Amino acid sequence: MTSDLPKSLTGKGGSRSATTRALALSLALAATALAVTGCDSAAAGTLKGSRLELPVAGGTAVVDTDSLAVSARTGDGRLLLLSEAAAGDGLGRPGPVTRTADGARWSYPAKGLSVTAGTDHGRLRIRLRSDRDGSVNWPVTGTDRTASAVQLPRGEGLDIPVRDAFWNSPKAGLAGSTVDVGADLALPLWGYTMGGATGGSRGGHGVSYLTPTDLGTSLRFSSAGGRLRATAAHAFDAGEGTRDYDVTFALTDGNPVAPAADYRAYLSQRGRLGSLREKIRKNPANAELLGAFHAYVWGDARTAAGIGKLRQLGVDRMWLGYDAGPGPMDAAAVRAAKKAGYLVGPYDSFANGQDPKTADSPTSAWPGRVYPDFCVRKADGTPETGFGGRGCYLSSRAFEKAEPGKHYLADRTRTMVANGADSYFLDVDATGELFRDHGAGHEMTKADDRKYRLARMERLSQHLVLGSESAQPWANRVLAFDHGSGTPVADGLWKLERDKQTWGGYYPQNAPKTFFKPVRLPADLATAMYDPKYRAPLYETALHGSLVNAERWELSYEKLPEQKSTRALLAMLYNTPLNYVLDGPTLARNGPELATLQKYFAPLHRAAGTQPMTSFRRLTDDRTVQRTVFGHGTLTVTANFGSTAHDGLPGGCVEARLRTDSAPRRLCPTAGPDGRLRF
């Protein structure tokens, strides 16, 4: 089976017939990537009573204009239920249906809703606009009797069998929960596989749901009859700027990463997909991310001598970050790191403000009256309390208004990189944590907040290798890397991290236990986050080749000893770097292990780090043997997370083959009782 995307996805043109052949042979990520060119120019469907039939890639979509129920008839004759009627108190009697160039429009006067439906690059697109504040619970998904798995972009991504006993139980924390699409998910989408083609075989079916209007949109999971369902909801709020709600539906072949491939194509079609290769062209220092592991350094590890020890181990690429507290990396250490071929960057945040006289972090102390004048204000005028109850969150609009004259952000950045640092980690700016600000003179919506954050990140990215936390896709064009979107965080993690006796606190200063103390995850949390049979590389399918993605920095590679083997295999399979925290003793103890893993990773990432992930397949029914492909065969990686050999690959091993290789490269990282790896 070919793993290449159709030429329409790669921007190289190609005829409809060539694309059709590629769709017939490729995984769902190809099947949904750009759908089928030419669908939008087809007849705008038919209207039979309340049934609006519209041509889409792979079949025909049917919208019930009375209720917003959506079904589809696939090219091979399958009937699929994509959404039940809108839930809750209903929509009321619809107004007259009027045909449009690509579909139809109508209204639900009782709810103040106007609706347009049509086709968009082979997708069904339905847009709701409200003339009043309110909400709608729709689409209602996962109710088709053939639905077999649900895809959820929690961190890197999950693919969950709908009948799985663990995920339907309270232990998983999913059923009964509601997630904010714009804040809690790494991508604004979800999907379902229909039938049994969950491993990527041909002939399967599935559906991708994209919600480009992610602000104000949530997704609630329920367990009905032992099956997982997902119902979206959107809050129409004039003050929040969320009176519009868009949903697109795409038919797929049911591969677990199909919804993410659909989203990648959506971004590409609209010029919103970044290119790491282009970022390297504009700032050549970005190339040093290729092949690099990431680490925050403490104590002796942030000195020139510590850098020398890393280089002596044979580590040829690293991204090294350091906090803004006492004793940051000095100019000599930065020079040593750059000479070794490493990137160096400070941690900073533009989000928190405190009284400069009592601020507990240099990043929270600002000149003049930034604090409290720039505090985000709630509707009642009180400040939005900052992270951990410290100070307040600062308004991005207040900074943007002041920047031309006061240069607060430019001056801060200039001070932070005066030691010669060539990279920058700007905490939380690219996350979904956005604010509505009622502060006089700097009022803004969450959409405005996003816009102002993008503007300042764009300025930083012109001269520095820029990263941020848990990067949302709207930031993919300005960031070169992110820390956090690789981690499928389950709610139980936050409770565990608040238990300082178990997790560790912010001491000692040179090696805070919150980062360095090894922790054993509770069994249910370990399953929810790291069981490979539930993992699917949705984020990499959508954004690999645009930016470099890693796990959260408080979940350093050494923090979770029992997951080390699995995390190493996942990193190689997904072509993503491991993220460490290092001090002198840790470097002495674990440096050789780091060097072995980095030596294996570096040539793979150098070759494929700027390439899209073009294939993801499971090779065994138990989901433990998985394969990825990058580019048009540039790199193929197979990981065996099981305990028995498959096709000559032992359990616990990963095998990678570059197109230029004469033989595959094998790595078998096994964690011993002491937490150290054996190779």
Side-chain angles (χ1 to χ4, degrees):
M1 178 182 294
T2 181
S3 60
D4 290 347
L5 292 172
K7 292 180 180 179
S8 52
L9 177 60
T10 62
K12 298 179 180 178
S15 67
R16 180 187 176 102
S17 61
T19 301
T20 302
R21 288 195 298 273
L23 290 173
L25 293 173
S26 68
L27 299 180
L29 60 107
T32 62
L34 276 186
V36 178
T37 59
C39 277
D40 292 343
S41 62
T46 59
L47 180 65
K48 302 175 182 178
S50 65
R51 287 172 54 89
L52 174 64
E53 298 186 359
L54 294 169
V56 295
T60 302
V62 182
V63 182
D64 184 343
T65 60
D66 283 346
S67 66
L68 279 184
V70 182
S71 58
R73 183 174 61 253
T74 67
D76 60 359
R78 286 278 301 276
L79 297 178
L80 303 176
L81 180 59
L82 308 189
S83 172
E84 289 191 347
D89 57 1
L91 299 169
R93 184 184 297 274
V97 181
T98 302
R99 298 303 306 276
T100 64
D102 69 343
R105 66 174 184 268
W106 66 98
S107 65
Y108 299 104
K111 293 280 286 187
L113 292 174
S114 59
V115 185
T116 60
T119 55
D120 178 3
H121 293 85
R123 305 179 187 87
L124 169 67
R125 185 203 70 244
I126 298 181
R127 174 172 297 167
L128 280 63
R129 170 168 288 183
S130 179
D131 65 8
R132 67 197 68 167
D133 288 354
S135 64
V136 65
N137 296 303
W138 177 87
V140 181
T141 69
T143 61
D144 187 291
R145 61 182 179 80
T146 67
S148 57
V150 58
Q151 291 86 43
L152 177 66
R154 178 189 281 178
E156 181 60 66
L158 299 171
D159 176 58
I160 303 168
V162 298
R163 291 187 177 277
D164 189 271
F166 171 75
W167 287 100
N168 278 274
S169 74
K171 296 185 297 182
L174 183 61
S177 71
T178 300
V179 296
D180 184 326
V181 172
D184 300 327
L185 298 183
L187 305 167
L189 59 86
W190 71 102
Y192 272 90
T193 297
M194 310 295 195
T198 60
S201 59
R202 280 186 286 163
H205 295 283
V207 59
S208 162
Y209 304 91
L210 307 184
T211 54
T213 48
D214 56 331
L215 297 178
T217 303
S218 59
L219 190 63
R220 179 171 178 79
F221 288 89
S222 61
S223 178
R227 295 168 55 89
L228 287 172
R229 297 182 177 181
T231 299
H234 186 80
F236 301 103
D237 188 313
E240 293 287 357
T242 59
R243 284 282 184 88
D244 291 310
Y245 179 37
D246 288 5
V247 182
T248 73
F249 305 73
L251 300 180
T252 76
D253 72 4
N255 183 273
V257 298
D262 182 32
Y263 185 55
R264 183 184 182 94
Y266 179 92
L267 292 175
S268 180
Q269 291 154 6
R270 287 156 178 78
R272 300 177 189 169
L273 180 63
S275 163
L276 187 55
R277 185 179 288 114
E278 180 64 15
K279 293 167 188 174
I280 291 170
R281 186 189 68 79
K282 292 180 178 179
N283 179 5
N286 284 309
E288 295 176 17
L289 287 169
L290 298 176
F293 278 179
H294 294 225
Y296 281 90
V297 288
W298 304 74
D300 293 343
R302 62 171 61 173
T303 65
I307 303 300
K309 291 178 182 178
L310 259 179
R311 194 63 189 91
Q312 289 167 14
L313 288 167
V315 177
D316 65 347
R317 287 282 175 93
M318 288 291 293
W319 179 90
L320 300 178
Y322 55 92
D323 68 339
M329 288 186 75
D330 59 24
V334 171
R335 285 195 299 271
K338 294 169 78 170
K339 183 178 179 180
Y342 305 163
L343 289 165
V344 179
Y347 163 96
D348 197 4
S349 175
F350 298 163
N352 188 254
Q354 300 178 40
D355 186 336
K357 297 177 182 177
T358 57
D360 58 13
S361 169
T363 62
S364 299
W366 296 89
R369 289 188 56 83
V370 168
Y371 178 87
D373 290 359
F374 285 19
C375 289
V376 171
R377 298 283 171 175
K378 302 176 185 177
D380 63 5
T382 59
E384 189 75 51
T385 303
F387 177 77
R390 302 156 51 241
C392 71
Y393 281 103
L394 297 175
S395 169
S396 61
R397 186 180 182 213
F399 272 124
E400 285 300 291
K401 288 184 67 177
E403 194 63 12
K406 295 294 186 179
H407 315 300
Y408 293 125
L409 302 182
D411 289 347
R412 163 67 74 82
T413 304
R414 191 177 300 110
T415 299
M416 296 290 279
V417 299
N419 60 358
D422 50 4
S423 184
Y424 215 78
F425 184 83
L426 188 60
D427 198 20
V428 308
D429 251 36
T431 69
E433 186 181 47
L434 302 167
F435 294 99
R436 175 147 180 219
D437 188 1
H438 297 268
H442 48 82
E443 298 89 346
M444 66 179 180
T445 64
K446 290 182 178 179
D448 292 331
D449 193 9
R450 181 180 288 180
K451 177 179 67 176
Y452 296 128
R453 292 177 188 226
L454 273 173
R456 66 197 192 191
M457 286 191 287
E458 171 65 27
R459 293 195 298 269
L460 285 172
S461 69
Q462 293 175 15
H463 307 288
L464 295 163
V465 178
L466 182 64
S468 190
E469 177 188 355
S470 301
Q472 291 285 313
W474 48 263
N476 88 89
R477 286 182 295 170
V478 299
L479 295 179
F481 68 96
D482 96 280
H483 294 161
S485 291
T487 305
V489 173
D491 286 344
L493 179 65
W494 309 131
K495 180 180 179 181
L496 183 62
E497 290 189 7
R498 288 192 294 269
D499 179 2
K500 297 305 179 186
Q501 184 173 353
T502 300
W503 191 261
Y506 287 90
Y507 61 87
Q509 180 175 301
N510 284 343
K513 290 185 178 180
T514 189
F515 302 121
F516 286 89
K517 181 183 179 182
V519 168
R520 181 178 186 179
L521 291 179
D524 292 341
L525 188 56
T527 297
M529 292 178 62
Y530 289 111
D531 191 326
K533 68 175 178 283
Y534 299 125
R535 297 286 297 264
L538 299 177
Y539 196 88
E540 297 315 310
T541 297
L543 295 177
H544 196 277
S546 171
L547 51 75
V548 174
N549 179 34
E551 287 212 58
R552 298 179 62 85
W553 75 312
E554 83 272 22
L555 288 175
S556 67
Y557 182 60
E558 300 289 348
K559 182 73 176 179
L560 308 174
E562 293 184 359
Q563 279 71 46
K564 286 180 67 174
S565 296
T566 295
R567 293 172 84 188
L569 264 60
L570 285 169
M572 305 309 164
L573 183 68
Y574 296 167
N575 200 230
T576 55
L578 294 171
N579 203 355
Y580 288 78
V581 292
L582 299 173
D583 66 347
T586 303
L587 181 57
R589 181 176 64 253
N590 300 323
E593 176 183 297
L594 182 159
T596 298
L597 292 170
Q598 192 269 338
K599 184 177 181 180
Y600 183 85
F601 173 77
L604 310 182
H605 196 236
R606 282 193 175 102
T610 60
Q611 301 285 321
M613 179 185 282
T614 49
S615 175
F616 171 70
R617 297 175 59 197
R618 298 193 181 101
L619 305 183
T620 57
D621 290 340
D622 65 2
R623 297 177 157 215
T624 60
V625 184
Q626 303 174 16
R627 176 171 292 163
T628 54
V629 179
F630 298 85
H632 295 285
T634 299
L635 171 66
T636 300
V637 185
T638 306
N640 186 346
F641 296 97
S643 56
T644 58
H646 173 79
D647 198 21
L649 180 63
C653 294
V654 63
E655 201 164 73
R657 185 189 287 269
L658 292 170
R659 184 164 45 200
T660 55
D661 284 345
S662 59
R665 306 163 186 242
R666 182 174 292 181
L667 180 74
C668 300
T670 303
D674 57 358
R676 298 187 184 184
L677 294 181
R678 311 291 188 268
F679 298 99

Short mmCIF file of all heavy atoms in Angstrom, two decimals, residues 216-250:
data_model
loop_
_atom_site.label_atom_id
_atom_site.label_comp_id
_atom_site.label_asym_id
_atom_site.label_seq_id
_atom_site.Cartn_x
_atom_site.Cartn_y
_atom_site.Cartn_z
N GLY A 216 -15.72 29.19 21.80
CA GLY A 216 -17.12 29.02 22.16
C GLY A 216 -17.66 27.64 21.89
O GLY A 216 -18.85 27.37 22.13
N THR A 217 -16.81 26.74 21.39
CA THR A 217 -17.24 25.38 21.05
C THR A 217 -16.69 24.38 22.05
O THR A 217 -15.53 24.45 22.45
CB THR A 217 -16.77 25.00 19.63
OG1 THR A 217 -17.27 25.96 18.69
CG2 THR A 217 -17.27 23.62 19.24
N SER A 218 -17.54 23.45 22.46
CA SER A 218 -17.12 22.41 23.40
C SER A 218 -17.57 21.05 22.87
O SER A 218 -18.39 20.96 21.95
CB SER A 218 -17.71 22.65 24.79
OG SER A 218 -19.12 22.69 24.75
N LEU A 219 -17.02 20.01 23.46
CA LEU A 219 -17.33 18.64 23.03
C LEU A 219 -17.56 17.80 24.28
O LEU A 219 -16.68 17.71 25.14
CB LEU A 219 -16.17 18.09 22.21
CG LEU A 219 -16.38 16.77 21.46
CD1 LEU A 219 -17.48 16.91 20.42
CD2 LEU A 219 -15.08 16.32 20.79
N ARG A 220 -18.74 17.22 24.38
CA ARG A 220 -19.10 16.42 25.55
C ARG A 220 -19.15 14.94 25.17
O ARG A 220 -19.74 14.57 24.16
CB ARG A 220 -20.44 16.83 26.14
CG ARG A 220 -20.86 16.00 27.35
CD ARG A 220 -22.07 16.55 28.06
NE ARG A 220 -22.47 15.70 29.17
CZ ARG A 220 -21.89 15.69 30.38
NH1 ARG A 220 -20.86 16.50 30.60
NH2 ARG A 220 -22.29 14.90 31.33
N PHE A 221 -18.53 14.11 26.01
CA PHE A 221 -18.51 12.67 25.78
C PHE A 221 -19.47 11.98 26.75
O PHE A 221 -19.56 12.34 27.93
CB PHE A 221 -17.10 12.12 25.97
CG PHE A 221 -16.18 12.50 24.86
CD1 PHE A 221 -15.46 13.67 24.90
CD2 PHE A 221 -16.06 11.69 23.73
CE1 PHE A 221 -14.63 14.04 23.86
CE2 PHE A 221 -15.23 12.05 22.69
CZ PHE A 221 -14.51 13.23 22.75
N SER A 222 -20.18 11.01 26.24
CA SER A 222 -21.08 10.22 27.07
C SER A 222 -20.94 8.76 26.71
O SER A 222 -20.43 8.41 25.63
CB SER A 222 -22.53 10.67 26.85
OG SER A 222 -22.92 10.48 25.49
N SER A 223 -21.36 7.91 27.61
CA SER A 223 -21.36 6.47 27.37
C SER A 223 -22.81 6.01 27.35
O SER A 223 -23.51 6.11 28.36
CB SER A 223 -20.57 5.73 28.46
OG SER A 223 -20.62 4.33 28.25
N ALA A 224 -23.26 5.54 26.20
CA ALA A 224 -24.63 5.07 26.05
C ALA A 224 -24.60 3.62 25.59
O ALA A 224 -24.09 3.33 24.50
CB ALA A 224 -25.38 5.93 25.03
N GLY A 225 -25.10 2.73 26.44
CA GLY A 225 -25.06 1.32 26.09
C GLY A 225 -23.66 0.79 25.95
O GLY A 225 -23.41 -0.11 25.13
N GLY A 226 -22.73 1.35 26.72
CA GLY A 226 -21.34 0.91 26.66
C GLY A 226 -20.60 1.39 25.44
O GLY A 226 -19.55 0.83 25.08
N ARG A 227 -21.10 2.47 24.78
CA ARG A 227 -20.46 3.01 23.59
C ARG A 227 -20.23 4.51 23.78
O ARG A 227 -21.10 5.23 24.28
CB ARG A 227 -21.33 2.78 22.35
CG ARG A 227 -21.51 1.32 21.99
CD ARG A 227 -22.62 1.16 20.95
NE ARG A 227 -22.38 1.98 19.78
CZ ARG A 227 -21.69 1.60 18.71
NH1 ARG A 227 -21.14 0.38 18.69
NH2 ARG A 227 -21.52 2.39 17.68
N LEU A 228 -19.08 4.97 23.35
CA LEU A 228 -18.75 6.38 23.49
C LEU A 228 -19.39 7.21 22.38
O LEU A 228 -19.28 6.89 21.20
CB LEU A 228 -17.23 6.58 23.44
CG LEU A 228 -16.44 6.14 24.67
CD1 LEU A 228 -14.94 6.23 24.38
CD2 LEU A 228 -16.79 7.00 25.89
N ARG A 229 -20.04 8.30 22.81
CA ARG A 229 -20.61 9.26 21.89
C ARG A 229 -20.02 10.64 22.18
O ARG A 229 -19.57 10.91 23.29
CB ARG A 229 -22.13 9.31 22.03
CG ARG A 229 -22.84 8.01 21.68
CD ARG A 229 -24.34 8.16 21.81
NE ARG A 229 -25.04 6.95 21.40
CZ ARG A 229 -26.36 6.83 21.41
NH1 ARG A 229 -27.12 7.85 21.80
NH2 ARG A 229 -26.93 5.70 21.01
N ALA A 230 -20.06 11.51 21.18
CA ALA A 230 -19.54 12.87 21.35
C ALA A 230 -20.54 13.86 20.77
O ALA A 230 -20.95 13.72 19.62
CB ALA A 230 -18.19 13.02 20.65
N THR A 231 -20.94 14.83 21.58
CA THR A 231 -21.87 15.86 21.15
C THR A 231 -21.21 17.22 21.29
O THR A 231 -20.73 17.57 22.38
CB THR A 231 -23.16 15.83 21.98
OG1 THR A 231 -23.80 14.56 21.83
CG2 THR A 231 -24.12 16.94 21.54
N ALA A 232 -21.17 17.96 20.21
CA ALA A 232 -20.59 19.30 20.25
C ALA A 232 -21.64 20.30 20.71
O ALA A 232 -22.85 20.07 20.58
CB ALA A 232 -20.05 19.69 18.88
N ALA A 233 -21.18 21.41 21.24
CA ALA A 233 -22.06 22.51 21.62
C ALA A 233 -21.35 23.81 21.28
O ALA A 233 -20.12 23.90 21.37
CB ALA A 233 -22.40 22.46 23.11
N HIS A 234 -22.13 24.80 20.89
CA HIS A 234 -21.55 26.10 20.60
C HIS A 234 -22.36 27.17 21.30
O HIS A 234 -23.59 27.16 21.26
CB HIS A 234 -21.52 26.38 19.10
CG HIS A 234 -20.82 27.65 18.76
ND1 HIS A 234 -19.44 27.75 18.70
CD2 HIS A 234 -21.28 28.90 18.49
CE1 HIS A 234 -19.09 28.98 18.38
NE2 HIS A 234 -20.19 29.72 18.26
N ALA A 235 -21.65 28.09 21.96
CA ALA A 235 -22.28 29.22 22.64
C ALA A 235 -22.22 30.44 21.74
O ALA A 235 -21.13 30.92 21.40
CB ALA A 235 -21.59 29.50 23.97
N PHE A 236 -23.38 30.93 21.34
CA PHE A 236 -23.46 32.16 20.54
C PHE A 236 -23.47 33.34 21.50
O PHE A 236 -24.39 33.48 22.30
CB PHE A 236 -24.72 32.16 19.68
CG PHE A 236 -24.82 31.00 18.73
CD1 PHE A 236 -25.64 29.93 19.00
CD2 PHE A 236 -24.09 31.00 17.55
CE1 PHE A 236 -25.74 28.86 18.11
CE2 PHE A 236 -24.18 29.94 16.65
CZ PHE A 236 -25.00 28.86 16.93
N ASP A 237 -22.44 34.17 21.43
CA ASP A 237 -22.29 35.27 22.39
C ASP A 237 -21.72 36.48 21.66
O ASP A 237 -20.57 36.44 21.19
CB ASP A 237 -21.37 34.83 23.53
CG ASP A 237 -21.30 35.82 24.67
OD1 ASP A 237 -21.14 37.04 24.41
OD2 ASP A 237 -21.39 35.40 25.84
N ALA A 238 -22.50 37.54 21.57
CA ALA A 238 -22.05 38.72 20.84
C ALA A 238 -20.82 39.32 21.49
O ALA A 238 -19.88 39.75 20.80
CB ALA A 238 -23.18 39.75 20.77
N GLY A 239 -20.80 39.40 22.82
CA GLY A 239 -19.66 39.98 23.51
C GLY A 239 -18.38 39.21 23.30
O GLY A 239 -17.29 39.78 23.27
N GLU A 240 -18.50 37.89 23.15
CA GLU A 240 -17.33 37.04 22.91
C GLU A 240 -17.00 36.94 21.44
O GLU A 240 -16.00 36.33 21.06
CB GLU A 240 -17.58 35.63 23.47
CG GLU A 240 -17.71 35.57 24.99
CD GLU A 240 -16.37 35.74 25.68
OE1 GLU A 240 -15.34 35.85 24.99
OE2 GLU A 240 -16.36 35.77 26.92
N GLY A 241 -17.86 37.48 20.58
CA GLY A 241 -17.61 37.39 19.15
C GLY A 241 -17.79 36.01 18.58
O GLY A 241 -17.08 35.62 17.64
N THR A 242 -18.74 35.24 19.14
CA THR A 242 -18.91 33.84 18.72
C THR A 242 -20.31 33.59 18.16
O THR A 242 -20.89 32.53 18.37
CB THR A 242 -18.64 32.88 19.90
OG1 THR A 242 -19.56 33.18 20.98
CG2 THR A 242 -17.22 33.02 20.39
N ARG A 243 -20.85 34.57 17.44
CA ARG A 243 -22.19 34.40 16.88
C ARG A 243 -22.21 33.51 15.63
O ARG A 243 -23.26 33.17 15.12
CB ARG A 243 -22.77 35.78 16.53
CG ARG A 243 -23.26 36.58 17.75
CD ARG A 243 -24.62 36.08 18.24
NE ARG A 243 -25.14 36.88 19.34
CZ ARG A 243 -25.88 37.98 19.18
NH1 ARG A 243 -26.12 38.43 17.96
NH2 ARG A 243 -26.34 38.61 20.23
N ASP A 244 -21.04 33.14 15.12
CA ASP A 244 -20.94 32.23 13.97
C ASP A 244 -20.41 30.87 14.42
O ASP A 244 -19.53 30.78 15.29
CB ASP A 244 -20.01 32.80 12.90
CG ASP A 244 -20.60 34.02 12.23
OD1 ASP A 244 -21.75 33.96 11.80
OD2 ASP A 244 -19.89 35.05 12.16
N TYR A 245 -20.91 29.82 13.79
CA TYR A 245 -20.50 28.46 14.13
C TYR A 245 -20.41 27.66 12.84
O TYR A 245 -21.40 27.49 12.12
CB TYR A 245 -21.52 27.84 15.07
CG TYR A 245 -21.27 26.41 15.51
CD1 TYR A 245 -19.98 25.92 15.75
CD2 TYR A 245 -22.34 25.53 15.71
CE1 TYR A 245 -19.77 24.62 16.17
CE2 TYR A 245 -22.14 24.23 16.14
CZ TYR A 245 -20.85 23.78 16.36
OH TYR A 245 -20.64 22.48 16.78
N ASP A 246 -19.20 27.19 12.51
CA ASP A 246 -18.96 26.40 11.31
C ASP A 246 -18.58 24.98 11.67
O ASP A 246 -17.76 24.76 12.58
CB ASP A 246 -17.81 26.99 10.48
CG ASP A 246 -18.18 28.29 9.80
OD1 ASP A 246 -19.30 28.78 10.04
OD2 ASP A 246 -17.36 28.80 9.02
N VAL A 247 -19.12 24.03 10.95
CA VAL A 247 -18.74 22.62 11.09
C VAL A 247 -18.59 22.04 9.69
O VAL A 247 -19.44 22.28 8.82
CB VAL A 247 -19.79 21.81 11.87
CG1 VAL A 247 -19.32 20.36 12.03
CG2 VAL A 247 -20.06 22.42 13.24
N THR A 248 -17.51 21.31 9.46
CA THR A 248 -17.36 20.59 8.19
C THR A 248 -17.33 19.10 8.47
O THR A 248 -16.84 18.65 9.51
CB THR A 248 -16.09 21.00 7.42
OG1 THR A 248 -14.94 20.46 8.06
CG2 THR A 248 -15.98 22.51 7.31
N PHE A 249 -17.86 18.34 7.51
CA PHE A 249 -17.91 16.88 7.58
C PHE A 249 -17.19 16.34 6.36
O PHE A 249 -17.46 16.78 5.23
CB PHE A 249 -19.35 16.38 7.54
CG PHE A 249 -20.28 16.94 8.58
CD1 PHE A 249 -20.73 18.25 8.50
CD2 PHE A 249 -20.74 16.15 9.62
CE1 PHE A 249 -21.61 18.77 9.44
CE2 PHE A 249 -21.61 16.66 10.58
CZ PHE A 249 -22.05 17.97 10.49
N ALA A 250 -16.28 15.40 6.55
CA ALA A 250 -15.59 14.76 5.43
C ALA A 250 -15.67 13.26 5.58
O ALA A 250 -15.45 12.72 6.68
CB ALA A 250 -14.14 15.22 5.35
#
